[in-house]
Amino acid sequence: MIRATVLAGIGAAIPPRSVTNDELARTLDTNDTWIRTRTGIRTRHWADTGTSTGDLATAAGARALKSAGVDSVDLVILATSTGNQPMPGTAPEVATALGLGHVAAYDISAACSGFLYALSAAAGAIASGVAERVLVVGADVWSTRLDPTDRSTTIIFGDGAGAAVLRAGDAGEPGALLGFDLGSDGTGHELAQVAGGGSRERGSGLPARPEGAYMTMQGKDMFTHAVNRMAASSEQLLGRVGWSAADVDWCAAHQANIRILHTVADVLGVERSRMLVHLDKVGNTSAASIPLALTDAAVSERVKPGDRVLMTAFGGGLSWASTALRWPEIDVMEITTEI
């Protein structure tokens, strides 16, 4: 019998510095109304000098461990596109900072779909018996990769980390991950990317371009793909777990843009009021967005034990993923800005 993977704890962290739309409007051709009406974002948090992705991941991971009531795991998986350095991965640093000893630890790079990809990898480790408990963290510090003159990206992205502790359990118990739908399409890899710093640029024989260090994004195309891919992936996942759209109490979709969330809801036939929204407070936090939204909703008691929760994400790559569970009885705490 295949062992199920069960959510046992959740935690989150954001950096203390809050950046408002009005602050961005001082240096960009924009204003608060323009940003809010097009994205739904009122503020985002950016890391201060000296704060890394690993620092945020460690803070969120510590809170997830506390939420689960454990001090050890067998594996740490960190979903991030903004690791502390290109090599090695950041997950071993996080595991050491958390005092987890010599456990297995590795990074996953799947952009905004990273957290759900990491959940899938954790489920595989648990099902195969490689691990009894896994700490999954989604963390990104995109503020270090934003061109401050580029309105299309600077107004959208924030920094943060969200984490979950998963354990082996039974498929019928609350918190069990009921299935996954994963996909990718490499023909769209240029729609959202940091082009510089990798082997393609370094092996081109051409000098590195300073702008290659920044994220670029083709917003209109990403909008269309995000809606289509998240809706189709969600429908596939719902069919696999035997739910209809009416069965979904809450949808935790990647927090990219309020219009994307509403359109996905409309396509799926889920009431817009059932879409969790956290981006208004923190912006698009990439791999951290789904666990941040879930933590916020659980703390505010919008999501309650027994609720049926659909999770779906879309990001660069292109990549997409979906999973679902019935929310368990777990200890949750306020999202902390202590890092």
Side-chain angles (χ1 to χ4, degrees):
M1 181 177 179
I2 296 177
R3 303 193 304 173
T5 298
V6 180
L7 177 66
I10 193 166
I14 54 175
R17 181 190 171 195
S18 177
V19 180
T20 66
N21 293 341
D22 287 333
E23 179 177 343
L24 294 181
R26 296 171 195 157
T27 56
L28 292 169
D29 180 19
T30 189
N31 57 65
D32 174 66
T33 300
W34 192 93
I35 296 172
R36 282 189 293 104
T37 55
R38 285 163 177 78
T39 69
I41 299 168
R42 293 186 291 106
T43 186
R44 73 285 297 143
H45 288 251
W46 286 352
D48 290 323
T49 300
T51 298
S52 69
T53 294
D55 295 328
L56 289 176
T58 299
R63 294 181 69 80
L65 291 168
K66 184 176 180 181
S67 168
V70 300
D71 57 11
S72 66
V73 295
D74 305 303
L75 171 63
V76 176
I77 306 175
L78 172 62
T80 186
S81 299
T82 59
N84 288 1
Q85 58 277 314
M87 192 283 290
T90 303
E93 292 184 64
V94 173
T96 295
L98 290 170
L100 297 176
H102 297 164
V103 300
Y106 63 89
D107 291 6
I108 282 180
S109 178
C112 302
S113 301
F115 183 75
L116 297 191
Y117 265 72
L119 290 185
S120 175
I126 289 173
S128 66
V130 169
E132 291 293 319
R133 281 198 300 262
V134 181
L135 174 64
V136 170
V137 186
D140 274 302
V141 177
W142 273 112
S143 63
T144 60
R145 290 286 193 169
L146 298 178
D147 179 350
T149 67
D150 181 3
R151 183 179 66 175
S152 67
T153 57
T154 299
I155 66 170
I156 293 172
F157 287 92
D159 304 334
V165 173
L166 306 169
R167 62 168 175 81
D170 298 322
E173 65 180 299
L177 299 177
L178 302 177
F180 289 92
D181 180 80
L182 308 173
S184 72
D185 179 5
T187 64
H189 75 275
E190 294 182 344
L191 296 183
Q193 65 173 343
V194 178
S199 62
R200 177 178 285 127
E201 180 193 58
R202 291 176 180 270
S204 68
L206 301 173
R209 299 175 301 154
E211 60 269 25
Y214 297 128
M215 174 196 278
T216 59
M217 185 171 65
Q218 299 178 37
K220 290 183 179 179
D221 289 336
M222 287 293 284
F223 185 106
T224 301
H225 278 288
V227 170
N228 292 340
R229 299 301 190 180
M230 283 197 287
S233 179
S234 295
E235 289 172 345
Q236 287 287 329
L237 190 280
L238 291 175
R240 289 174 188 172
V241 304
W243 292 0
S244 69
D247 293 324
V248 176
D249 294 304
W250 297 103
C251 180
H254 169 54
Q255 305 284 296
N257 179 304
I258 191 64
R259 293 183 297 155
I260 290 176
L261 296 183
H262 287 167
T263 307
V264 169
D266 294 344
V267 173
L268 285 177
V270 174
E271 293 182 12
R272 290 185 178 186
S273 61
R274 293 296 181 178
M275 300 295 286
L276 295 180
V277 178
H278 190 233
L279 63 85
D280 57 325
K281 303 173 185 175
V282 297
N284 180 343
T285 54
S286 193
S289 77
I290 287 177
L292 278 172
L294 285 171
T295 302
D296 177 69
V299 167
S300 64
E301 298 185 343
R302 280 177 291 162
V303 173
K304 297 179 174 62
D307 284 352
R308 297 186 180 190
V309 179
L310 166 68
M311 291 175 264
T312 187
F314 170 81
L318 301 172
S319 63
W320 56 88
S322 299
T323 189
L325 53 71
R326 286 188 297 122
W327 194 253
E329 187 85 48
I330 56 173
D331 184 24
V332 291
M333 296 161 283
E334 296 286 349
I335 294 175
T336 179
T337 59
E338 297 176 6
I339 51 176

